[in-house]
Amino acid sequence: MVLVGVAVMLASGTSVCAPARHTVAAPPSTSAREAVPADTTPDQRIVVHRNAGRDVDVLVSVGIPFSPGALRDTRLLRILDESGAEVPAAVHTTLLWYAKDGSVRAARAQFHVHLAGDTQTFYFSIGKPRQRDLPGWPYANGLVPDVQGLKVAAALATLSPVWLCNSLVAGPQFPAPPNEAYANYVATQFQWAKPLPVNDPTAWLFDRPSTLFKAYIRTGRFDYLQAADLSYHFYMKYIRRDGLAMSPFCAGGWTYNDKPCDVKYVYVEPILLALALTGDDSEHDLVTIDKMMTLWENGGWGNRPGPYTSPSQHFTERMTGLGLLETVSAYELTGDRRYLERVNDRIGWLYDHQRDNPDGLGNDGSWRNSWRLHEDDSWDPSKDVRGTSPWMTENIVDGLWHAWLVTGDPRIPAMITAFGRYLEQYGWIKPDLLHYEHDWRNPCSGPDGQIAWYWSSSHADTKALSHIEDSDGWYSDAHTVEIALPVAAAYYFEKDPQQSAALKHRLDALTSSYNIDCAKSADPLRRFNWNNRGSGVVAWLIRQPPGSGAAAAPAAAATRVTP
């Protein structure tokens, strides 16, 4: 299987913030041969971890996500101790499957724990009515003071990665096996990415909290969840709550970077994940979500989003992709059909842009735009290079993938396969162009390292692209890890056997990107986010038959996996 082969280095975390913060490695998954309470399974294990503070008696809130149709009545959800006795608990719904069947997508269970050590094990059971109800409490009641003036949960609870992946809480995922090269790459990066980045606001670009939550989903690692939760509280602390969601007021914007109207820092996906995985509803409300999404609709300090209608129009793949992804997340979080309508609008803009580019140069499968405007230079068609950024386009594919899971829009597979073909033909720098003076790869990539053009084009000549690579693209193979997503997504939807074979060959070659020496590079810090926010699904996509997505409805992604 591609992307599998290097042993995962599961380093146990150590405290990086304060003596009161307790960090331990996640315990190994319970084997099916171990004794578990009746009416439950090993994958319904809850491990409560001490997170911050020193109290022995703690209030525990745990988020439990469910796949579509798995739970319709939270009265049938019970918490059990290791002996199988029911624990008094308060349970209520936090998320619904708005785009599916209206069943429970996530529930929050609250119970009291006498936590004498660092961990204690419980289970959840589905099917029998709960007999021991407990009055619930505001999530904030279980928070204790921590670093950076934040309050975090005294205890956090982890679930099995098999359960988390099967729940589809972040779309289809496959639990990371112990020998997976990509999981090892993430674990190595986490050694430098773990400390809360408070001195570099750009370390939050591409959504650090969501990246960490998704790493937790595939592994069940407590240190990933702990870092995600702390990052989430830090991020939400700086969301502006007052004023109008437009420049210069910037309500809904992220104020920590002194660019509160810069919408590429405005993320709703971590709110969705935090609510589903921890039950934390203390950091958001519908008004805040609406302001965040209204700021996206107004464009913040940039142009209001809309269709691409002119070659002289400013366009970036990052802003377009993130805007779609966050709009999808807002709909999944709230069920507000205004957001679903905006999702459909954005899909249409992308479809028209790809199929009928206003520059008149035809459809090459990319979302072709202006290099000069992309880099905020003045519009000059005589000096322009029409093309696209392969690594930034990963954001568009990530947004389209999540939009497809919600809408099943038939235009999306066609868009993803078209870009996959473009990327294979025009996106990668051919090996014969890589030589002593112009081997733009980082030496850590090795002789088989793959590198995409920093700016690719189906129309510009190699000289023009090489000039851009010389000025801006040295070591741009730092972005190769995330480009596996558009390749794998195209492989999933591609119906042509010849094209599928080419994509499979590329995926095999991309294993060189998970070089541990490359993973050790912490320059820049935001690399952890851009590499990994959307890349976890690659392991699921490559396990599907080639082209199987072309005939699949999104609900088919609910296929269950076993460890």
Side-chain angles (χ1 to χ4, degrees):
M1 184 63 66
V2 289
L3 307 187
V4 175
V6 182
V8 178
M9 294 160 43
L10 292 177
S12 61
T14 56
S15 176
V16 297
C17 298
R21 174 168 292 279
H22 298 262
T23 310
V24 295
S29 298
T30 304
S31 166
R33 292 172 294 182
E34 294 182 45
V36 298
D39 303 322
T40 188
T41 72
D43 293 323
Q44 291 168 230
R45 190 175 190 237
I46 301 171
V47 180
V48 175
H49 302 255
R50 186 179 303 282
N51 181 45
R54 296 181 174 86
D55 290 344
V56 174
D57 293 311
V58 295
L59 301 177
V60 173
S61 294
V62 55
I64 305 175
F66 296 90
S67 59
L71 181 67
R72 296 186 180 277
D73 186 349
T74 55
R75 290 175 296 182
L76 302 180
L77 177 61
R78 298 180 299 145
I79 304 299
L80 310 177
D81 65 17
E82 288 187 280
S83 70
E86 183 176 341
V87 174
V91 181
H92 77 272
T93 301
T94 54
L95 288 169
L96 296 174
W97 280 104
Y98 296 110
K100 305 293 184 184
D101 57 2
S103 59
V104 175
R105 184 172 186 174
R108 182 174 72 188
Q110 296 180 308
F111 48 99
H112 297 282
V113 174
H114 184 80
L115 194 60
D118 285 331
T119 65
Q120 192 165 334
T121 299
F122 297 85
Y123 292 84
F124 63 92
S125 176
I126 309 167
K128 293 182 179 179
R130 191 168 55 258
Q131 300 297 319
R132 304 190 67 186
D133 275 314
L134 185 72
W137 55 83
Y139 185 89
N141 287 9
L143 303 181
V144 297
D146 201 66
V147 298
Q148 295 294 318
L150 302 174
K151 287 188 173 183
V152 299
L156 288 172
T158 57
L159 303 182
S160 153
V162 173
W163 182 272
L164 292 169
C165 290
N166 283 332
S167 76
L168 307 180
V169 63
Q173 301 281 333
F174 193 89
N179 63 338
E180 186 187 75
Y182 173 62
N184 189 36
Y185 181 88
V186 175
T188 303
Q189 284 190 319
F190 184 66
Q191 293 176 29
W192 53 259
K194 179 179 179 178
L196 189 71
V198 296
N199 297 320
D200 180 5
T202 66
W204 300 82
L205 270 173
F206 305 102
D207 191 354
R208 172 181 166 89
S210 288
T211 303
L212 289 162
F213 278 128
K214 292 177 184 179
Y216 158 67
I217 287 167
R218 295 198 65 231
T219 63
R221 283 179 53 164
F222 169 60
D223 51 355
Y224 287 169
L225 177 62
Q226 184 181 46
D229 181 71
L230 181 64
S231 294
Y232 174 66
H233 283 281
F234 183 87
Y235 175 76
M236 293 301 293
K237 176 181 178 180
Y238 293 97
I239 292 292
R240 178 163 291 168
R241 313 300 173 112
D242 61 326
L244 300 176
M246 59 186 298
S247 180
F249 310 101
C250 308
W254 197 56
T255 62
Y256 192 73
N257 60 351
D258 294 324
K259 298 178 181 179
C261 268
D262 190 344
V263 290
K264 64 179 178 287
Y265 286 94
V266 178
Y267 311 125
V268 177
E269 189 176 29
I271 302 174
L272 174 75
L273 294 174
L275 184 59
L277 298 171
T278 70
D280 187 356
D281 59 1
S282 68
E283 297 283 9
H284 77 280
D285 52 35
L286 292 179
V287 173
T288 300
I289 300 302
D290 187 64
K291 288 184 176 181
M292 295 171 78
M293 294 314 303
T294 300
L295 192 65
W296 264 108
E297 277 300 285
N298 289 331
W301 281 332
N303 297 323
R304 186 179 179 89
Y308 188 71
T309 59
S310 169
S312 63
Q313 183 173 331
H314 183 269
F315 177 90
T316 68
E317 302 85 354
R318 174 174 58 188
M319 292 286 280
T320 303
L322 289 176
L324 175 59
L325 178 61
E326 301 314 319
T327 308
V328 171
S329 297
Y331 171 67
E332 292 185 289
L333 178 64
T334 67
D336 190 326
R337 294 193 67 83
R338 292 178 302 155
Y339 304 140
L340 183 59
E341 291 171 3
R342 295 176 193 175
V343 168
N344 291 328
D345 286 343
R346 288 176 179 270
I347 294 170
W349 301 339
L350 285 166
Y351 186 78
D352 292 341
H353 183 170
Q354 187 186 55
R355 293 300 179 97
D356 189 19
N357 196 300
D359 63 12
L361 297 176
N363 174 19
D364 60 15
S366 75
W367 289 275
R368 197 170 51 248
N369 61 98
S370 162
W371 164 250
R372 292 182 63 85
L373 291 171
H374 194 279
E375 298 302 297
D376 294 324
D377 288 334
S378 59
W379 166 244
D380 185 347
S382 66
K383 298 179 180 179
D384 205 10
V385 180
R386 300 291 297 176
T388 195
S389 165
W391 74 269
M392 275 200 184
T393 303
E394 181 271 344
N395 292 282
I396 291 180
V397 174
D398 192 19
L400 285 172
W401 170 249
H402 283 273
W404 182 75
L405 294 173
V406 166
T407 67
D409 193 310
R411 295 172 294 182
I412 291 175
M415 283 192 275
I416 291 176
T417 52
F419 182 72
R421 294 184 179 192
Y422 169 88
L423 189 61
E424 190 57 36
Q425 186 171 1
Y426 303 110
W428 301 100
I429 301 178
K430 292 178 172 56
D432 60 2
L433 293 176
L434 299 170
H435 52 82
Y436 176 71
E437 293 181 343
H438 296 293
D439 189 348
W440 296 289
R441 295 172 299 182
N442 191 310
C444 69
S445 295
D448 298 321
Q450 305 289 293
I451 183 171
W453 289 106
Y454 191 77
W455 187 255
S456 65
S457 176
S458 62
H459 295 277
D461 58 24
T462 301
K463 181 179 179 180
L465 298 179
S466 296
H467 177 72
I468 293 173
E469 199 72 25
D470 280 335
S471 63
D472 294 87
W474 280 95
Y475 297 176
S476 62
D477 49 346
H479 292 289
T480 303
V481 169
E482 67 266 26
I483 304 180
L485 171 59
V487 178
Y491 176 77
Y492 178 62
F493 289 119
E494 180 59 72
K495 293 182 288 187
D496 182 274
Q498 186 174 356
Q499 296 289 340
S500 293
L503 292 166
K504 173 63 163 58
H505 180 75
R506 184 66 63 181
L507 286 166
D508 288 339
L510 285 172
T511 58
S512 63
S513 301
Y514 305 129
N515 186 295
I516 296 306
D517 287 336
C518 292
K520 292 176 181 177
S521 173
D523 183 24
L525 290 177
R526 61 186 177 276
R527 176 179 179 170
F528 180 74
N529 311 336
W530 80 46
N531 276 170
N532 303 311
R533 189 199 68 239
S535 296
V537 69
V538 170
W540 184 88
L541 290 165
I542 63 177
R543 286 172 167 83
Q544 312 311 308
S548 57
T559 301
R560 299 188 67 79
V561 297
T562 55

